[in-house]
Amino acid sequence: MSSLVNLAQQTEEHATQLPMPAWLYGVIAFAILMLLLLVTVSYRNVRTRHA
């Protein structure tokens, strides 16, 4: 039973480690959303040019 508890603790410790700092996830998400916004804005006048 003790080895099972030790294994569960080691697995839990390993699962909480992130591959990069937590703030970097926010920066990456923000950059992706800004890129999508840029793509969306670039199609803003397509209808008026081709109408």
Side-chain angles (χ1 to χ4, degrees):
M1 184 69 157
S2 177
S3 61
L4 183 61
V5 172
N6 288 337
L7 179 64
Q9 287 176 346
Q10 290 174 356
T11 305
E12 182 178 328
E13 289 174 4
H14 182 64
T16 58
Q17 294 176 353
L18 296 174
M20 57 187 159
W23 61 268
L24 197 54
Y25 287 102
V27 171
I28 291 172
F30 182 76
I32 290 171
L33 289 173
M34 288 297 109
L35 180 65
L36 290 173
L37 178 66
L38 181 66
V39 169
T40 302
V41 170
S42 71
Y43 283 102
R44 186 173 150 189
N45 292 323
V46 169
R47 182 174 180 263
T48 57
R49 279 187 281 168
H50 294 291

